[in-house]
Amino acid sequence: MKMSLMIAAASLLGLAPVVSPTGGAQAAELKVLAGGSLRSLLTELAPQFEHASGHKLVIDFDTTPNLIKAATSGEPFDLGVVPIDVFYDAAAKAHFTPPVEFARVGYGVAVKAGAPRPDISTKQAFKKTLLDARSITFLPESAAGSYILRLFERLGIEEAMKAKTIAQAQPTGIIPAVVSGQAELAVFVNNVLTAPGVDIVGPFPPGLQQELVFPAALAVDTKQKEAAKAFIDFLMSPAAIAVIKSKGMTPGKG
């Protein structure tokens, strides 16, 4: 009966349970490299996948530079769920099979819940809001942070922003910095800003907005190919898509 319930749950989530010829589940432990900004998403999705499939996920969340190092370190892993910037590095890309996009997300600005919402509706208003802010916080050493830094350069405010930036080492530090009042504004991808304690002011204005793409790909030398592929398939399932949308993200093209 228990196995029948697992198979039914897996079917609803679009999974194919791995079952041995003798009827026992062949559970795999998958090491996953993941972008730090996906922590909230994958923390919600991982238990669903584990319950339906019987597999175990061991997820290492990190920044893009560190994910590139991990992929090229020689240490074994089974798949990556990472910012597309990881695949711009030729050495890292060589350790993955061709990726599939499962989600993308735009950039926005957030303030402490209940605080006045500044105008960011146009390029000039956005620039003025950044210059007028007492402090801002984001994660410079990341794919999203790299785009934000380039945007500051494009607006000609890079030096002014350096003086008021409270840099975070991981995405998990962004929301607490705003909630505590340490930083007035958070500037980052919207799925990280979709969190209790802050209000999203809105997206970057037209002409400055961009989407960060998140692909998933198997490691070329994974010994758990079928289980790893099952997780990627799960990320495209209706159950996963519902959670992706709830985090302010757009499901990928697959």
Side-chain angles (χ1 to χ4, degrees):
M1 178 64 71
K2 184 176 180 181
M3 180 57 67
S4 297
L5 291 174
M6 180 177 287
I7 292 173
S11 177
L12 288 172
L13 295 176
L15 298 174
V18 180
V19 181
S20 73
T22 58
Q26 295 176 332
E29 182 172 280
L30 300 174
K31 180 175 180 181
V32 184
L33 302 182
S37 59
L38 295 175
R39 183 181 293 272
S40 175
L41 174 69
L42 295 182
T43 297
E44 187 166 341
L45 289 178
Q48 294 184 28
F49 173 76
E50 291 178 337
H51 178 74
S53 69
H55 301 311
K56 171 73 174 176
L57 299 176
V58 178
I59 306 176
D60 292 337
F61 294 100
D62 219 324
T63 61
T64 296
N66 287 337
L67 291 169
I68 291 172
K69 291 178 183 176
T72 57
S73 68
E75 291 294 318
F77 68 98
D78 297 297
L79 71 152
V81 184
V82 297
I84 197 168
D85 297 54
V86 170
F87 295 92
Y88 296 156
D89 183 278
K93 182 179 179 181
H95 289 271
F96 292 95
T97 61
V100 293
E101 176 191 331
F102 77 92
R104 57 176 58 219
V105 66
Y107 293 78
V109 176
V111 295
K112 186 175 181 179
R117 301 188 182 197
D119 184 8
I120 60 170
S121 60
T122 66
K123 177 180 176 181
Q124 288 304 315
F126 179 72
K127 179 177 178 179
K128 183 177 186 302
T129 288
L130 291 174
L131 290 173
D132 289 348
R134 169 179 50 83
S135 55
I136 69 166
T137 188
F138 67 105
L139 173 57
E141 293 294 322
S142 67
S146 178
Y147 174 68
I148 292 168
L149 290 173
R150 293 197 304 272
L151 186 60
F152 291 164
E153 293 178 8
R154 179 178 165 188
L155 293 173
I157 61 173
E158 65 270 29
E159 290 303 320
M161 300 316 296
K162 284 180 183 178
K164 61 180 68 182
T165 293
I166 299 172
Q168 302 297 332
Q170 294 290 338
T172 49
I174 293 174
I175 299 303
V178 177
V179 172
S180 68
Q182 182 186 20
E184 183 178 347
L185 301 178
V187 183
F188 211 59
V189 283
N190 285 320
N191 60 307
V192 172
L193 303 182
T194 303
V198 299
D199 293 332
I200 296 183
V201 177
F204 285 9
L208 300 181
Q209 183 60 277
Q210 180 171 296
E211 287 188 310
L212 178 59
V213 174
F214 290 95
L218 304 181
V220 294
D221 56 357
T222 177
K223 293 179 173 59
Q224 305 289 352
K225 183 177 179 179
E226 292 305 315
K229 185 178 183 302
F231 182 56
I232 294 178
D233 290 343
F234 169 69
L235 292 174
M236 312 291 182
S237 71
I241 287 172
V243 179
I244 287 169
K245 289 180 176 178
S246 76
K247 301 297 182 181
M249 306 179 79
T250 301
K253 298 175 182 178

